[in-house]
Amino acid sequence: MAHASGRHFLQIPGPTNVPGRVLRAMAAPTIDHRGPEFAELARQVLAGVGRLCGTTRPVALYPSSGTGAWEAALVNTLSPGDRVLAFDTGHFATLWSRMAAALGLTVDLVPGDWRQGVDPGHVEARLSADAGHEIKAVTIVQNETSTGAASPIQLIREAMDRAAHPALLIVDTISSLGSVEYQHDEWGVDVTVWCSQKGMMLPPGLGLNAISAKALGASRRARLPRSYWDWQPMLDAAATGLFPYTPATNLLFGLREALALFDEEGLPAVFARHARHAEATRRAVRGWGLDIVCRNPDHYSSTLTGVLVPDGHDADLVRTVILERYNMSLGAGLGRLATRAFRIGHLGHLGDLELAGTLCGVEMGLAQAGVPITRDGVTAALDYLGPAA
Ligand SMILES: *Cc1c(COP(=O)(O)O)cnc(C)c1O
């Protein structure tokens, strides 16, 4: 590819743009992970990630991708043959349920159309029908990154309580934590799973689990084999600053800086910015005359928007044109949405003009790829982002 002048636009829904301050914080000499300086770093970042997800309890932090943090949540809480209730809301929910099956769990996967989140009524109905309490855990992807549909975690918790069912609630917040409101303790979530490279504004390489007292109790009885992912030695780190094996030291330097950025902007402002950028993006999609993958407005994602291309057109061609002409990466359609949809990431470190530039690139690329659109998308987004006085 010829050299492209200007900055690359990384508008996939993770990994996301890493702020310069975070990059510079990581460009420091690696320190002794058993020394006093590291213990102070560990103490700071572990407290910070707890605040971010709304827990006062210790958090397990692994050198891993999000997939590792998925596995940690399952192997620490469940035993071979245990039933898990999962919902086929998209590609990531499918992958996670396949992992559960591969680990020897019995998965009840409720089918879905990949165009909305989980209906709390379905959770209640399934759990109410399980009088013998065979189901040991409910797994939910809060923000399905393959579609741009979110599931209402608080309402799902209430549905579980109405069914008076003791199953654990395990939530993947990988592409939502740090971008939308989330309260692990207050909402009664048992395990929250996330990682570094999406809303956290970091490169890939850190996986996290927040753990309720009930989940920790379950871990004492759980019999799935675990070693690397064992919570207990990780939780001991929260007390001592000593990890059971080498942590991703330089990513933790970056994490400390990212947490400072969250504090400086303020979480309510961060969440409002994401909601605003998502609304501007949806207005652009409607301005082009295209369909948003998520068709339930209550479930719209604040962090990414999935866009369907009309029949007979190829979303991958659109992405190729945009990459080659405008040096911008967009998310591909995944699984059953392959070639039919593309995804615009609008999470993490992003300002109004960067979003506007992103939408300009999409509008031009759609037209150049021959997709029939009306050229009103960018105008609609700008009218919303910066209305006339
Ligand atoms: C990205 C993502 C994953 C997978 O994370 P990896 O870091 O690629 O292992 C899982 N779930 C969701 C919702 C995601 O967005």
Side-chain angles (χ1 to χ4, degrees):
M1 234 165 78
H3 172 75
S5 177
R7 162 164 99 60
H8 177 69
F9 270 50
L10 182 66
Q11 298 308 137
I12 60 176
T16 64
N17 295 297
V18 180
R21 265 174 63 181
V22 172
L23 291 172
R24 286 190 292 279
M26 290 189 301
T30 301
I31 57 173
D32 174 8
H33 63 286
R34 304 199 189 281
E37 188 185 345
F38 182 85
E40 174 60 15
L41 170 68
R43 199 190 53 71
Q44 280 177 9
V45 297
L46 287 168
V49 292
R51 280 196 301 277
L52 201 61
C53 80
T55 187
T56 55
R57 299 176 50 79
V59 172
L61 193 166
Y62 301 93
S64 81
S65 81
T67 303
W70 269 353
E71 181 160 339
L74 299 176
V75 297
N76 277 287
T77 53
L78 298 165
S79 298
D82 277 356
R83 287 200 103 81
V84 173
L85 178 62
F87 295 83
D88 189 15
T89 50
H91 187 64
F92 289 102
T94 309
L95 290 180
W96 197 13
S97 68
R98 276 194 208 140
M99 170 192 273
L103 290 170
L105 300 166
T106 306
V107 183
D108 296 342
L109 184 63
V110 180
D113 66 1
W114 286 31
R115 298 200 65 179
Q116 56 200 315
V118 174
D119 178 345
H122 291 167
V123 178
E124 185 175 352
R126 287 283 177 151
L127 293 183
S128 298
D130 178 37
H133 296 169
E134 294 290 312
I135 295 169
K136 301 300 179 202
V138 178
T139 59
I140 306 279
V141 175
Q142 187 194 19
N143 187 77
E144 186 34 91
T145 320
S146 65
T147 65
S151 291
I153 302 304
Q154 275 176 290
L155 299 183
I156 290 168
R157 173 78 259 173
E158 287 167 17
M160 293 175 69
D161 292 345
R162 276 197 301 278
H165 195 290
L168 296 168
L169 174 58
I170 307 183
V171 180
D172 168 337
T173 63
I174 290 179
S175 62
S176 44
L177 203 99
S179 307
V180 302
E181 171 78 9
Y182 190 81
Q183 297 293 343
H184 174 90
D185 288 353
E186 193 184 314
W187 294 358
V189 178
D190 291 300
V191 188
T192 297
V193 176
W194 82 105
C195 62
S196 51
Q197 77 271 23
K198 305 201 179 174
M200 302 277 289
M201 306 183 287
L202 290 163
L206 297 176
L208 300 100
N209 279 178
I211 303 158
S212 72
K214 182 173 161 189
L216 195 61
S219 78
R220 307 234 155 82
R221 299 180 297 276
R223 285 179 290 102
L224 280 178
R226 62 185 195 248
S227 168
Y228 184 85
W229 303 114
D230 196 353
W231 278 340
Q232 198 51 55
M234 275 293 168
L235 296 181
D236 295 342
T240 60
L242 281 183
F243 280 74
Y245 41 79
T246 315
T249 315
N250 288 50
L251 278 169
L252 300 185
F253 291 147
L255 175 55
R256 179 165 57 188
E257 195 64 23
L259 290 167
L261 290 173
F262 279 116
D263 279 345
E264 287 167 28
E265 187 173 357
L267 284 182
V270 172
F271 302 156
R273 169 167 59 80
H274 281 83
R276 201 167 143 269
H277 284 173
E279 176 61 25
T281 303
R282 290 189 294 268
R283 287 180 188 219
V285 177
R286 291 189 200 107
W288 297 321
L290 298 179
D291 286 332
I292 295 166
V293 172
C294 178
R295 59 178 162 203
N296 181 342
D298 291 337
H299 293 177
Y300 282 149
S301 164
S302 276
T303 62
L304 76 132
T305 302
V307 183
L308 288 166
V309 295
D311 285 344
H313 293 271
D314 180 350
D316 286 342
L317 175 69
V318 174
R319 288 191 312 110
T320 303
V321 167
I322 290 172
L323 178 61
E324 288 176 354
R325 298 209 185 170
Y326 302 113
N327 192 20
M328 174 161 74
S329 296
L330 297 172
L334 296 175
R336 65 172 91 144
L337 291 170
T339 75
R340 295 177 49 215
F342 64 90
R343 297 168 298 140
I344 305 171
H346 34 75
L347 72 164
H349 181 61
L350 195 70
D352 284 9
L353 292 189
E354 288 150 328
L355 180 71
T358 298
L359 298 174
C360 287
V362 176
E363 182 167 313
M364 292 188 288
L366 282 164
Q368 284 154 9
V371 177
I373 57 163
T374 38
R375 305 263 321 227
D376 294 333
V378 168
T379 308
L382 297 188
D383 284 347
Y384 175 75
L385 285 174

